[in-house]
Amino acid sequence: MSIFDDIKGKAEGLIAGKEDAIKGGIEKVGDFVDEKTGDKFKDQIDSAQQAASGFVDGAAK
């Protein structure tokens, strides 16, 4: 077992049952950053949002 397996296990425990709220927060933070930067980094922010939401979906399984 690696340290990453241990971290993933802890993340799964923290995320379980809160997936929608976490993904909603990810969306709000991304929208806030887009607003403050004038959409200058919109593509990068969208990619980060998708990756973070994907992690939440993967950890929930």
Side-chain angles (χ1 to χ4, degrees):
M1 178 186 246
S2 74
I3 190 168
F4 296 110
D5 293 331
D6 187 43
I7 291 170
K8 184 177 181 197
K10 288 180 182 179
E12 289 171 349
L14 293 171
I15 292 171
K18 302 173 191 92
E19 296 89 354
D20 290 338
I22 293 169
K23 288 170 42 175
I26 292 167
E27 186 70 28
K28 285 182 182 181
V29 168
D31 292 346
F32 176 79
V33 173
D34 281 339
E35 180 185 323
K36 293 297 180 183
T37 61
D39 290 334
K40 184 175 181 181
F41 304 102
K42 184 162 183 53
D43 292 338
Q44 292 90 337
I45 299 301
D46 288 345
S47 292
Q49 285 174 299
Q50 289 175 353
S53 291
F55 177 81
V56 170
D57 288 337
K61 293 180 181 179

